[in-house]
Amino acid sequence: MTKKNLKKILDQVPADYYERGVKNNFFQKYWHTRKWHHLKEILFGVRGKSLLDIGCADGTTTQQIKKILPSAEVTGIDLYKKAIDHAKGKAGKIRFIHGDVHTLPFNNNSFEIVTAVEALEHLDNPNKALAEIYRVLKPNGYLIIGQDTDSLLFRIVWFVWTRWKGAVWKNSHISCMKPEELINALKKQGFKIKKSKKVNFGMEIFIRAMKS
């Protein structure tokens, strides 16, 4: 899928999709609340003054990350400009930037922590994105990933969801690597895997990796 096609998909998603969903939809509230719980667990013990959240959308999860690491200077980036503009309206102490993870607009060794929560599976070239993440991370910096596992159960749930309340996301999962593939891709890029855990009935995996 090209960037142009991905933008076409994003344009049909409400700018406040996640913010509204966790307030008004039981299933979204349950999924995201559990996701934030596991995100807090995988971030336990991680320290850093600068953090970049990849694929931040409307900033709903970015705000949760800021709560988990209140002393960190947090930046969120996303390709979907409408969502970024919405996030800026409620930013608080978080900086939001419109940009592409395949060509991150930051210098080498800029961040101590990078988070990519349910983001890599929406990218046309996740390996290029991982290379960019590696570049902007400081030595011994942490990469925290949350990604769907593409398990049979997840594919069933996703099939139903994208034909119901989540129809705006139909065809948006274009690079959902299996957990083993993702871990191998991280190692190939130069990351050391510090921790990994499957959650939500095996439908999602959280990984903590370190730049060597």
Side-chain angles (χ1 to χ4, degrees):
M1 179 179 289
T2 65
K3 186 191 295 186
K4 183 178 180 181
N5 289 335
L6 180 56
K7 284 184 175 180
K8 186 176 180 180
I9 290 174
L10 292 175
D11 282 341
Q12 67 188 6
V13 180
D16 62 345
Y17 178 83
Y18 294 103
E19 179 185 359
R20 192 176 359 161
V22 296
K23 290 180 180 178
N24 302 323
N25 184 280
F26 170 80
F27 296 102
Q28 282 180 276
K29 183 177 182 179
Y30 174 81
W31 177 268
H32 293 295
T33 300
R34 294 302 300 164
K35 176 178 68 180
W36 298 332
H37 169 77
H38 296 302
L39 183 58
K40 185 175 182 179
E41 284 188 338
I42 204 78
L43 278 167
F44 181 78
V46 173
R47 297 291 179 268
K49 296 181 180 178
S50 54
L51 183 149
L52 175 65
D53 185 31
I54 298 291
C56 65
D58 64 9
T60 298
T61 291
T62 318
Q63 290 181 319
Q64 295 297 320
I65 293 170
K66 179 65 175 175
K67 290 179 181 179
I68 296 169
L69 298 173
S71 63
E73 292 184 3
V74 177
T75 300
I77 188 168
D78 200 284
L79 185 63
Y80 187 25
K81 190 174 185 303
K82 289 181 182 177
I84 286 294
D85 290 342
H86 177 78
K88 287 179 178 178
K90 56 172 187 175
K93 295 183 179 180
I94 302 172
R95 178 175 63 147
F96 288 102
I97 294 174
H98 173 235
D100 186 354
V101 64
H102 298 96
T103 52
L104 289 170
F106 308 108
N107 295 328
N108 296 349
N109 308 320
S110 293
F111 298 94
E112 293 174 271
I113 309 166
V114 173
T115 54
V117 184
E118 296 177 357
L120 295 179
E121 56 266 52
H122 298 289
L123 303 178
D124 65 318
N125 193 336
N127 286 308
K128 185 176 181 180
L130 289 175
E132 276 291 274
I133 290 171
Y134 191 90
R135 179 183 66 80
V136 303
L137 261 178
K138 294 182 178 182
N140 299 317
Y142 286 97
L143 168 59
I144 306 298
I145 293 177
Q147 184 189 278
D148 307 321
T149 61
D150 201 35
S151 66
L152 177 60
L153 177 58
F154 177 81
R155 292 200 303 272
I156 292 170
V157 171
W158 187 249
F159 178 85
V160 174
W161 180 250
T162 54
R163 282 153 183 79
W164 183 46
K165 293 289 187 179
V168 293
W169 289 110
K170 189 176 181 180
N171 299 321
S172 69
H173 274 202
I174 54 181
S175 299
C176 194
M177 291 184 278
K178 297 285 187 181
E180 297 79 12
E181 293 178 282
L182 178 55
I183 288 172
N184 286 336
L186 288 166
K187 289 179 178 178
K188 187 175 180 180
Q189 198 57 242
F191 287 101
K192 293 181 179 179
I193 308 302
K194 293 297 182 179
K195 186 177 182 180
S196 65
K197 180 181 181 182
K198 291 181 182 178
V199 300
N200 293 337
F201 307 105
M203 291 190 290
E204 190 162 23
I205 186 169
F206 278 87
I207 298 171
R208 183 163 78 189
M210 179 181 283
K211 177 177 179 176
S212 57

